[in-house]
Structure formats: C-alpha cells, structure tokens
Amino acid sequence: MSTGGGRSVDPCLDEDRLHRLGIAHLTEPGDPRVAGLVDDLGAAVVHEGLLRGLDLQGVELDAAARVGATEPARALERAHRAGLRFVVPGDTEWPAQLDDLGSAAPVSRHGGRPLGVWVRGPLGLHEIARSVAVVGARAATTYGTDVAARLAAGVAESGRTVVSGAAFGIDQAAHRGALAADGRTVAVLACGADRVYPQAHARLIEHLADEHCLVSETVPGGAPTRMRFLSRNRLIAALTQGTVVVEAALRSGALNTANWAGRLHRHLMGVPGPVTSAHSAGVHQLLREGGALVVTHADEVLEVVAPAGEQLTVRARGEDRARDRLTHRQQQVLEAVPLRRAADDFSIAGTAGVAPLEVRGTLLKLEEAGFVRREGTGWRLADHDPQLPGQPFLDWTG
Amino acid sequence: MSTGGGRSVDPCLDEDRLHRLGIAHLTEPGDPRVAGLVDDLGAAVVHEGLLRGLDLQGVELDAAARVGATEPARALERAHRAGLRFVVPGDTEWPAQLDDLGSAAPVSRHGGRPLGVWVRGPLGLHEIARSVAVVGARAATTYGTDVAARLAAGVAESGRTVVSGAAFGIDQAAHRGALAADGRTVAVLACGADRVYPQAHARLIEHLADEHCLVSETVPGGAPTRMRFLSRNRLIAALTQGTVVVEAALRSGALNTANWAGRLHRHLMGVPGPVTSAHSAGVHQLLREGGALVVTHADEVLEVVAPAGEQLTVRARGEDRARDRLTHRQQQVLEAVPLRRAADDFSIAGTAGVAPLEVRGTLLKLEEAGFVRREGTGWRLADHDPQLPGQPFLDWTG
C-alpha cells in the first residue's frame, strides 16, 4: 500500500490511514458518532462495518463516494497526485492539539477528533502548534479588515502562524496581513483541499497551497456545505492556541468558531469596535457573555497566547508629561501651588507638608521648568502646561 | 443657631454641622487625614484644635477662609442665601452611600468621607440612591458624545439619576441625554456649588441648579483646583451604583473616577470604541485590566446596577430568520438537504436520521415555505434564503 504522502513508515499506521480515508468517504466530516466509534473500535472495524451496511442511526453512506470507500488506496494515490497528503493521528505531522476534540462534548451534530485531515502545501501541520486564529465576519467593514490585517501581521511577525478560513472579509484580511508580514498562514477549508471556495479567492488560496498550507477534513472534491462550515470552524479553534474575533454580527459563523475555542479551553479574544456598528455587536456579546478578552493590538494577543513570561506587553500609558519627570518632592510642592491666587512659601510649605527652606529651592526649579510663576511675593501655577503648549493647566480635569 | 438649610431639628447635629463647615473652610476637600480625625474625635474637637493651631502635618489653614472657620453660622447663613444647603452625615438628605468612603483606603492625598456637601437645587440628595455615573473624556469624539447621550437617556428613562461632572465632552452629553429624556441628573463640581465651571456650561449648570441638583465638597466660592477635581471624582463614584466610562484617553481623569468606583466596589462599566481611536484607549485598558464590564446599551447598564431580577436584558440575538421558526424536525430535515446535487427522500431520511415517510411530508412543507426545491426525483436547497431575498443560502458561512 502506498502511504500517499503520509510520513509514517509503520505499516499498521498505513492500514489505519486507509481505513480512516475509507470512512471519511462514507460519512460527513465532524460527525461525532463516527469519531467516537473509530476511537472506541478502531478504524478497520468501523470501515468494514460501514461497508457491510452497519446502521449508524442515519450516518449517510454517500453512493458517489463509493470508490474512495472501497478502494481507499486508489483514492489516496489520486489525492497524492493532486498534491494532497492525508494526515492521521500517529503521523509525525499530526497536530496533537486536534486530539482535544476527542474529549470535548459534541454540539448538535458536530464534534469529535477528525479521522484525518487532507493537507496541501509545503508548511507542515506539526509546525503550527504556535498559532492564532483570526476570524470574523464576511461582511466586514474597512475598520474590521484594517484591524484584522494589522493584528495578523503582528502575530505573524512574532513567528506564530495565522490560521483562518479564506472567506471574504476578516478571513481574507487575516491571511493577507500575515503574508504582508512575510509570516506563515494556514487556511482551513470547508470544501476539499483541492477545491477553491470562494472562487473570488482563487489566487489567495492557490498561493497558500504553493507557499503555506491548506487544511480540510472534507474529502477531495467535496463541496462546502453548511454542516461542513460548522465542522470546519471547530478545526480552526482546535488547531490554534487562541482565537481572535474581529467584527462579527450577532449569530455569525465567527461566533461558532469562538464558542468552539471556549469549549476547547483555548484563549478567546475579541476586538471591540463602535457600539453603533452591527458588525461589532457579536464581538461585544462575546466580550460581555462569552468570556472573551478585549484585545486591541497584536502585542496583547501575543501576551495572552504566549507562555507566562515569554511575551510581556509594554503597558500603554499615554504620552509622558513633563509632570511625570518631576521628582516626588517637586510634584508634592507643585500640587500645593494654587491655580490663580498666589500663595507664599510658607503657605505652600504648609500645604505640601515640606519644610519652607526646601520649598523655596524647589519652587525656583519649578519656575525654571515653566510650571509656576511669581506673583508679588507669592507663587501661582503657570498659565500653560510647559509640556502642552496652549493647553491650560486645567487639562488634567478631563 | 440657624440650620441654614439642613433638614435636621436635632440641635446636636446642628452644632456638628457648624463645626464641620468650619473645618471645611480650613482644609482641602477630601483630605483623608482630616476626615479620619473627624470620624475619630468628632468635628468639635478637630475644629477647635485647628483654630488653636493644631498641627495636622501640613493641613493648610487658609487665612482667607477664616471667616467661615471662626464664624461658621454666618458662613452657613450666607450659603443659605445663595441657595446652598450644607448636608452632613445624620441629615435625612445625607446620601448613605458616601459613608463607604470612610472605609476605603485613601489614594495619595484623596479619600475619606466628606465632612459635608454643599447642595444646590430642588432634587434631594437622598433621592439619588438609584443612580449611575456617566463620565468620560473632555476631548470626546462625536461617537463618544452620541453614545453617552443615548446611554444617559436610557438610564434616566428607567427612573435612575444620571450623575456626572458638568465638564466638556462626555459629561455634558450625559447631562443633556438625561435632560432630553426628561430624567434626573446631578452634577458634582470641583468648585463651590455657587460657582460655574467651565464658564461655557453656565446655562447647563444653572439649569441643573434650578431643576435638578449641584453637589460640591468645596466651600462656596472655592475655585476648581487639580486636587479638588481628584477629590470630586471620588464623590461621583461613591454617590452612584455604578460608573460608565464612555471614551477616555490613557491617563484621563475619567479613569481616576473609574478607579474609585472599583475601590468602592461599585459597578464599573466601559463602552468600547474603535481600537484605532486614542479616545477609547483608556476604556479598553479598563476593560482589559480594570475589571470593567463591556456595556453597549443602556439596558445593559441597568441590568448591571439593578437588583437581581429587577431588570432583565432581552439578549440581543440578531434578526430572526425564517429558519428559526421551523420546528426542530423541520430543521433536522432541512440540514440534510444538499446544497447543489439533489438527493432523494431516502438519502435525506438517512442523513437526517428521520423515517422516510415523515421526511416526505416535511419536505413538502419546506418546499411550500421556499426552503427547498425539487430537481428530478430529488430535492435540493432553494437558491435563495426565503427570509433574505437575494442572499444565497451560503450566507451562513460567515
């Protein structure tokens, strides 16, 4: 038997691979009943059972896929010629994170560890353990696609792989952002990995196949169907360390991916947007109710997914103000200087709780720096903040 | 002694009121050392101590305020004539929520329960127990002021009082939103309650004094100073059940109010905005690190501040789709109908896990409703979602 692109030299694994491929040709991707049976009984038993008409409570036996089912070696050979490899558990390339799907409860008719995945492209699946999913609405705004591209670029620059679904809108922006940063990116498809959907993204998808990686649980040639999109979403969540949702209307597919991320104990993040935008309403719902973390920048995403201490975000703190560069004693005295009515050294010393002699010297330094000015025998604040020309001192009131 | 507008008939309380007023004329509002001494020793002891030159480690004895300090009854009478009442702990009108400040740790030189507050306007302070602070940047965007006004209107419509600081930007929008909704609104000022700051808001502030309520811890005539703004912020947080921050740059004053809300175990909420807007960066930081809750609508604010069960938000769930109105069985069958290649009753029955006879009847109903169509002897999905004219069924993929 040919391994058809699998990387194992273990003949048992290759037997298993062919049975898994046969089952995949007979059943829908992501059917948790099939996955459970294969995990419990082994692929060979289930495959043979299905071929003999085993009743799986309605698991569809797709007549058109019979060739793949009865002659898996031929189907594997054909896939291999199309540039696809069929990666199964036990392969070096098998991404261990997909095993988590085996223990997560299925939702509706979706769940379970994939029987295997078809992979197309030079990037090895085992190389994407450090990865982040960037997903969101197909009907995205310019704000959403800009932010998605920037986030993806930042993630890719850190050496992590950006995973998305090659769809319109946020997905496309995520892939493009990673490519623009010369990073790695993987598209997980609902159709067969030899197909292109949507057609408008043919160039992008072919480029990913040539230089990066396409992944699908659907048999080669398989069409994108509603069920397959939902199954696909669970793979995006499972393959990655965390999922960032950038724009999503209420009830959009991206929220389905997000829910899988939560269910799989992956990090779940959301990029906020205007509360007046329906395109962000789903993200805000995730932030309010779904346990998603607010992220506004790639650094914040990396801080979330990186092991403790590996990636530390420099906390944003706004512009430095001249006031910040004063010593503690200088600040103490400055705070005691009145805004309008001048006060003398002794009054300021009393307010600041500092000895009058020391106050005098400090006030002279503050005058030099432009913070205070003399008025008669006393001192008051300068009219303008020396750091913010034209802005009155009252600007700290906002 | 005249009570000068206080509502008590208890002569001890009136003595206490005058001592508190005297101390307020000698010290800075919100000085935690003073508040602590008064709580421990009583106002009479502290007042007399201060007049005799008691050293409070630098508590300023403001010479210009000596009249108020030595003749508090006269100062109270004058305040009364200016339309101010001086409300102190023990008064019917005293808002009990301010007592929480007595147990919260001071920050820098701010903290403690106020000695009393000057109040101007017909609205009683005790009537604002059910209230929400809506605060934010002075340099706000149109987005911010629109959202603030709408939030405030929704809060006010629920019968709650909107509290803010009468500043430019978000504060003003909050007051105006409450007024537009014919609701109640209170401004807490850093200057004396008989003064107007900023001058550009004279009409707004005078209107609040005539119809609603102004509150200040600063003595009448007192100027707005940096320290007083910071002290004022703690009152806004303390007076209200929760604080909503709508737009705030990093390090803005609104974040100071937010921190007080957190410190006082009030509800802290933030309205997200575009991550590309510096005006929302402070809010996003609060949401990420400050324990603030994402709120996008007044209903969500009310759900947070209302007692459990009193206010339930109807969960936003996007437009209803015709699909949602199908029975479970109908949905099950519909999901089994292929997108492009028609399948016959038996195949669909197998996929759906439903008896073929039942499938037939269900498919006829789905055809009637426009979800599926016949092709040869089989069935496939209709080209368009009957609920979304012009949208292909594939629209659930986003």
Side-chain angles (χ1 to χ4, degrees):
Chain A
M1 275 185 194
S2 157
T3 63
R7 298 183 177 201
S8 159
V9 289
D10 173 355
C12 291
L13 181 56
D14 288 330
E15 283 286 342
D16 182 64
R17 184 190 322 280
L18 292 176
H19 287 302
R20 285 174 177 272
L21 189 143
I23 299 167
H25 276 273
L26 285 164
T27 59
E28 272 299 311
D31 187 323
R33 296 168 297 182
V34 176
L37 282 172
V38 170
D39 284 348
D40 289 348
L41 309 174
V45 171
V46 176
H47 185 206
E48 276 151 30
L50 284 169
L51 289 178
R52 282 185 203 138
L54 170 68
D55 182 10
L56 286 185
Q57 298 167 294
V59 170
E60 183 176 21
L61 298 187
D62 188 334
R66 282 284 165 151
V67 176
T70 55
E71 298 182 59
R74 254 179 68 198
L76 188 54
E77 192 52 43
R78 199 165 53 226
H80 198 190
R81 280 198 305 273
L84 308 184
R85 50 198 191 272
F86 184 58
V87 178
V88 298
D91 280 336
T92 319
E93 191 178 352
W94 179 254
Q97 60 270 38
L98 289 185
D99 296 339
D100 294 348
L101 285 165
S103 43
V107 171
S108 174
R109 293 174 60 183
H110 307 282
R113 184 171 75 157
L115 299 167
V117 286
W118 280 268
V119 184
R120 184 175 160 213
L123 182 60
L125 267 195
H126 58 299
E127 294 178 65
I128 66 162
R130 293 169 76 246
S131 59
V132 173
V134 178
V135 300
R138 297 196 308 140
T141 67
T142 310
Y143 165 71
T145 54
D146 283 356
V147 172
R150 217 180 310 166
L151 270 183
V155 167
E157 270 163 16
S158 81
R160 284 184 166 71
T161 305
V162 173
V163 177
S164 196
F168 291 116
I170 300 299
D171 283 16
Q172 184 202 28
H175 292 301
R176 294 221 177 274
L179 294 174
D182 259 333
R184 292 166 162 181
T185 182
V186 170
V188 185
L189 305 178
C191 57
D194 57 338
R195 288 186 59 161
V196 158
Y197 181 86
Q199 199 57 47
H201 289 176
R203 278 191 58 191
L204 170 67
I205 292 170
E206 291 301 339
H207 178 74
L208 296 183
D210 291 343
E211 306 281 340
H212 297 264
C213 185
L214 302 176
V215 179
S216 178
E217 195 182 1
T218 297
V219 295
T225 65
R226 172 181 164 82
M227 304 242 298
R228 289 171 184 175
F229 275 102
L230 295 174
S231 294
R232 185 277 307 263
N233 290 343
R234 92 188 196 292
L235 290 198
I236 290 180
L239 275 172
T240 50
Q241 297 175 285
T243 292
V244 184
V245 183
V246 187
E247 288 200 325
L250 296 169
R251 311 190 45 176
S252 68
L255 299 186
N256 175 252
T257 310
N259 290 339
W260 271 108
R263 210 170 287 130
L264 292 165
H265 309 295
R266 302 294 195 258
H267 299 289
L268 177 58
M269 294 156 274
V271 175
V275 298
T276 45
S277 165
H279 298 88
S280 289
V283 179
H284 294 150
Q285 193 172 68
L286 276 183
L287 295 171
R288 284 175 47 74
E289 307 173 5
L293 262 168
V294 170
V295 289
T296 67
H297 189 275
D299 285 348
E300 295 168 355
V301 173
L302 296 173
E303 192 187 49
V304 169
V305 299
E310 186 197 295
Q311 187 87 31
L312 294 176
T313 300
V314 178
R315 193 163 176 277
R317 53 189 304 271
E319 273 179 87
D320 259 12
R321 300 181 190 172
R323 197 184 267 271
D324 300 332
R325 290 193 294 273
L326 299 178
T327 65
H328 178 73
R329 181 47 50 95
Q330 286 169 338
Q331 294 205 27
Q332 214 175 347
V333 171
L334 181 59
E335 287 217 359
V337 177
L339 182 63
R340 301 193 200 284
R341 197 181 46 197
D344 63 21
D345 294 6
F346 286 92
S347 163
I348 292 169
T351 304
V354 173
L357 202 67
E358 200 180 344
V359 158
R360 182 81 194 172
T362 309
L363 283 167
L364 291 170
K365 285 220 178 77
L366 288 171
E367 185 189 23
E368 206 174 298
F371 283 100
V372 302
R373 64 186 184 82
R374 288 171 210 243
E375 196 169 275
T377 59
W379 301 86
R380 46 164 292 188
L381 288 183
D383 288 330
H384 299 291
D385 192 317
Q387 174 79 1
L388 304 161
Q391 301 250 28
F393 253 116
L394 276 173
D395 250 31
W396 30 251
T397 60
Chain B
M1 276 185 193
S2 157
T3 62
R7 301 187 174 199
S8 159
V9 289
D10 173 356
C12 292
L13 180 56
D14 288 330
E15 285 287 343
D16 181 65
R17 184 190 321 281
L18 292 176
H19 287 302
R20 286 174 177 270
L21 189 142
I23 300 167
H25 276 271
L26 285 164
T27 59
E28 271 300 310
D31 187 323
R33 296 168 297 181
V34 177
L37 282 172
V38 170
D39 285 348
D40 288 349
L41 309 174
V45 171
V46 176
H47 185 205
E48 276 151 31
L50 285 169
L51 290 177
R52 281 186 205 140
L54 170 69
D55 181 9
L56 286 184
Q57 298 168 293
V59 170
E60 182 177 22
L61 297 187
D62 188 334
R66 282 282 165 153
V67 176
T70 54
E71 299 182 58
R74 254 179 69 197
L76 187 55
E77 192 53 43
R78 200 167 51 228
H80 198 189
R81 281 197 305 272
L84 309 184
R85 50 197 190 272
F86 183 59
V87 178
V88 297
D91 280 335
T92 320
E93 191 178 354
W94 179 254
Q97 59 272 36
L98 289 185
D99 295 339
D100 294 347
L101 285 165
S103 41
V107 171
S108 173
R109 294 174 58 183
H110 308 281
R113 185 170 75 157
L115 299 166
V117 287
W118 281 268
V119 184
R120 184 175 160 213
L123 182 60
L125 265 195
H126 57 298
E127 296 178 64
I128 66 161
R130 295 168 73 245
S131 59
V132 174
V134 178
V135 299
R138 298 197 308 141
T141 68
T142 310
Y143 165 71
T145 54
D146 283 356
V147 172
R150 218 181 308 166
L151 269 184
V155 167
E157 270 164 15
S158 81
R160 283 183 166 71
T161 305
V162 173
V163 177
S164 195
F168 291 116
I170 301 299
D171 283 16
Q172 184 201 29
H175 292 301
R176 294 222 176 274
L179 294 174
D182 258 335
R184 292 167 164 180
T185 182
V186 170
V188 186
L189 305 178
C191 57
D194 58 338
R195 288 185 59 159
V196 158
Y197 182 87
Q199 199 58 47
H201 288 175
R203 277 190 59 191
L204 171 66
I205 292 170
E206 292 300 338
H207 177 74
L208 296 183
D210 291 344
E211 307 280 340
H212 297 265
C213 185
L214 301 177
V215 179
S216 177
E217 195 183 1
T218 297
V219 295
T225 65
R226 172 181 162 83
M227 303 241 299
R228 289 171 184 175
F229 275 103
L230 295 173
S231 295
R232 185 276 308 264
N233 291 342
R234 91 188 196 291
L235 290 197
I236 291 180
L239 275 172
T240 51
Q241 297 175 285
T243 292
V244 185
V245 183
V246 187
E247 287 200 323
L250 296 169
R251 313 190 43 181
S252 69
L255 300 185
N256 176 252
T257 310
N259 291 339
W260 271 108
R263 211 171 287 130
L264 291 165
H265 309 294
R266 302 294 195 256
H267 299 289
L268 178 57
M269 295 157 273
V271 175
V275 299
T276 45
S277 164
H279 299 88
S280 288
V283 180
H284 293 150
Q285 193 174 67
L286 276 183
L287 295 172
R288 283 175 47 75
E289 306 173 6
L293 261 167
V294 170
V295 289
T296 67
H297 190 274
D299 285 349
E300 295 168 357
V301 174
L302 296 173
E303 191 187 49
V304 168
V305 299
E310 187 197 293
Q311 187 88 28
L312 294 177
T313 300
V314 178
R315 193 165 176 276
R317 54 191 301 272
E319 272 182 88
D320 259 13
R321 298 181 190 172
R323 200 183 264 271
D324 300 331
R325 291 194 293 272
L326 299 177
T327 65
H328 179 74
R329 180 50 47 98
Q330 286 168 341
Q331 294 205 28
Q332 214 174 348
V333 171
L334 181 58
E335 287 218 357
V337 177
L339 182 63
R340 302 192 198 286
R341 193 182 50 196
D344 63 21
D345 294 7
F346 285 93
S347 162
I348 292 169
T351 304
V354 173
L357 202 66
E358 198 179 345
V359 159
R360 183 81 194 170
T362 309
L363 283 167
L364 290 170
K365 286 221 178 75
L366 289 171
E367 185 188 23
E368 208 174 296
F371 283 100
V372 301
R373 64 186 183 83
R374 289 172 210 244
E375 195 168 275
T377 59
W379 300 86
R380 47 165 290 190
L381 288 182
D383 288 330
H384 298 292
D385 193 316
Q387 174 80 1
L388 305 162
Q391 302 252 28
F393 254 114
L394 274 175
D395 252 28
W396 28 253
T397 60

